[in-house]
Amino acid sequence: MKVLFAASEAYPFAMSGGLADVAGSLPKALRKRLVGCRVVMPLYSSIPEELKANMNFITHITVPVAWRRQYCGIFEAKVDGVIYYLLDNQYYFKRDGLYGFYDDAERYAFFARAVLEILPHINFKPDIIHCNDWQTAMTPVYLDRFYCHDPFYTNIKTVFTIHNIQYQGQYGHELLGDVLGLSGDDCRVVEYGDCVNMLKGAIECSDRVTTVSPTYAGEILTPDFAHGLDGILRERSFKLCGIINGIDTDVYNPETDKNIYENYTVDSIEKKAVNKQKLQERMGLPQRDDVPVIGIVSRLVGHKGLDLVKCVFEDILKADVQFCILGSGEWEFETFFNDMAKKYPDKVALKLGFVPELARKIYAGADLFLMPSKSEPCGLSQLIALRYGTVPIVRETGGLNDTIKDSGDNIGNGFTFKTYNAHDMLNAIWRAIGSYGDKEGFNVLRKRAMQCDNSWGRSANEYIRLYKSIER
């Protein structure tokens, strides 16, 4: 079986979020299971020079973008045994940053079409093209509308994964002919409501639609989570399934991680205390082993549940507890946590921005990890926290619900609350703090967290079963 994984970003070349982790890890896991998986992505100017130096130029072609044709250079690179194709067009991709430009619709319409156009030139004909998020949503549409009668493309199937349904590729109708190159009946595929919706087109035209957790697959069938697409998803629910993301357990490994102060395993978990002490020192907090440290590594935005945290934060601080917070985002929350750090310097430490090595130190050094999201399609932070033996406190939504089970039954791996309510969250935090007071019991819980299997291997097996069901 051959799979071409199409994504707008992939680790280690370019990343802005969880998609890059998936595109950098899932293909590697599939290859270990004898699936011929390769990745295609744009060649951004921001890709590190040392990675560009190891790319090989294959050829160049032109790609239709509505009524015009645009240059596309095809480069090849190999990382961890996986072949990557990086598509070059400096007009579209030689910019600072990946997204947020006035012509993003045209940039990714070009990329989506190029994914198909390069196939006869790379000596790799996939059985399945696995597309991800709105930036590749037009690939299944173009395959269905423009290429289905070409013998070379006839038997190629498509899988489309929704990583976050909030981002749909919505634009005005004027894009139909001039940018997307659609006319007549073809326009209906991407029209939804009063606009063009690329995600809707992918849902219509893909052979299967997946999302990144089973719970989220159910949630997006409802108006509260679907951002307007619940109707079309219910109509196409026979295509839909949820497969939980994993993490790269080689990258996130407390036994070998060079970013943490002291390496440890589940059998030497007592060494985690060194990471806690050094984290407290780094963040300017009193170095105490008897106080639980709660970590937050997050974008500081409302839907991450930080409005709940803000509501009862000073109530939490009445307990003997410390917070290590890393992130950036909305002014409201940056200002709030900055004020709290000044008001309670022995209890709250804040670092604004995102510092990858500090994030690892928080995962390794904290005792508890707070993630009270309003919505969370999958979530990687709670999986990383488990890997480092840091016990998550989460709301039961999306992938958080699928990966964290409350330890009240003595078999769970964290602390959970269901209702999006500040005092329900507060109750879960009190239980977690109380659990920390039982050193022996909390140590058992830590070890149970570290022994959870959240590797990509399990998820890769589910994708393979999905791919095989399409081939039949």
Side-chain angles (χ1 to χ4, degrees), residues 112-333:
R113 189 76 179 261
V115 168
L116 299 167
E117 288 285 328
I118 68 169
L119 296 183
H121 305 276
I122 61 174
N123 194 30
F124 183 76
K125 180 182 177 181
D127 301 296
I128 291 166
I129 302 176
H130 188 155
C131 301
N132 296 270
D133 275 348
W134 78 264
Q135 293 90 347
T136 58
M138 290 303 297
T139 298
V141 176
Y142 288 143
L143 179 63
D144 180 69
R145 297 289 145 162
F146 297 159
Y147 296 84
C148 61
H149 300 300
D150 185 325
F152 179 86
Y153 296 89
T154 300
N155 295 317
I156 297 176
K157 307 294 185 182
T158 52
V159 171
F160 183 76
T161 296
I162 301 169
H163 295 263
N164 189 333
I165 202 167
Q166 181 176 351
Y167 306 106
Q168 300 177 3
Q170 293 174 290
Y171 294 94
H173 285 87
E174 65 273 8
L175 265 68
L176 286 169
D178 201 43
V179 172
L180 302 183
L182 299 176
S183 61
D185 289 342
D186 294 337
C187 296
R188 298 175 186 173
V189 175
V190 296
E191 289 178 324
Y192 197 64
D194 295 326
C195 67
V196 167
N197 190 309
M198 297 185 193
L199 205 68
K200 183 259 188 180
I203 294 168
E204 289 272 22
C205 295
S206 297
D207 294 288
R208 293 288 188 278
V209 177
T210 76
T211 191
V212 290
S213 70
T215 295
Y216 193 59
E219 288 174 342
I220 61 175
L221 297 176
T222 68
D224 288 344
F225 288 87
H227 292 272
L229 284 178
D230 49 298
I232 189 66
L233 282 166
R234 285 195 298 270
E235 290 175 10
R236 300 289 183 268
S237 60
F238 62 91
K239 295 183 180 183
L240 178 65
C241 70
I243 299 176
I244 196 76
N245 280 343
I247 58 172
D248 189 325
T249 52
D250 294 328
V251 173
Y252 298 107
N253 186 353
E255 185 175 7
T256 59
D257 192 341
K258 295 179 180 178
N259 292 290
I260 68 176
Y261 295 109
E262 182 83 13
N263 294 119
Y264 59 96
T265 68
V266 69
D267 295 320
S268 60
I269 199 167
E270 67 278 359
K271 294 182 180 179
K272 185 173 165 65
V274 176
N275 289 284
K276 176 176 179 175
Q277 177 191 353
K278 296 289 188 181
L279 175 65
Q280 289 170 321
E281 182 181 1
R282 163 87 175 259
M283 301 293 282
L285 295 170
Q287 296 168 50
R288 295 174 51 196
D289 181 56
D290 60 327
V291 61
V293 173
I294 300 177
I296 297 176
V297 178
S298 175
R299 284 184 292 121
L300 303 182
V301 294
H303 81 267
K304 290 295 184 181
L306 297 182
D307 53 338
L308 302 186
V309 177
K310 181 180 175 182
C311 181
V312 296
F313 195 63
E314 293 194 85
D315 291 328
I316 302 170
L317 294 179
K318 291 175 183 177
D320 195 12
V321 66
Q322 293 177 348
F323 275 86
C324 288
I325 304 167
L326 173 64
S328 62
E330 295 170 1
W331 178 87
E332 172 190 354
F333 298 111

Side-chain angles (χ1 to χ4, degrees), residues 330-344:
E330 295 170 1
W331 178 87
E332 172 190 354
F333 298 111
E334 288 189 0
T335 302
F336 172 76
F337 287 120
N338 192 49
D339 290 344
M340 291 295 100
K342 291 177 180 177
K343 187 175 180 179
Y344 301 97

Side-chain angles (χ1 to χ4, degrees), residues 68-83:
R68 55 211 173 277
R69 300 190 71 90
Q70 297 282 31
Y71 167 87
C72 177
I74 307 171
F75 289 78
E76 181 182 281
K78 195 169 188 179
V79 178
D80 292 334
V82 179
I83 292 175

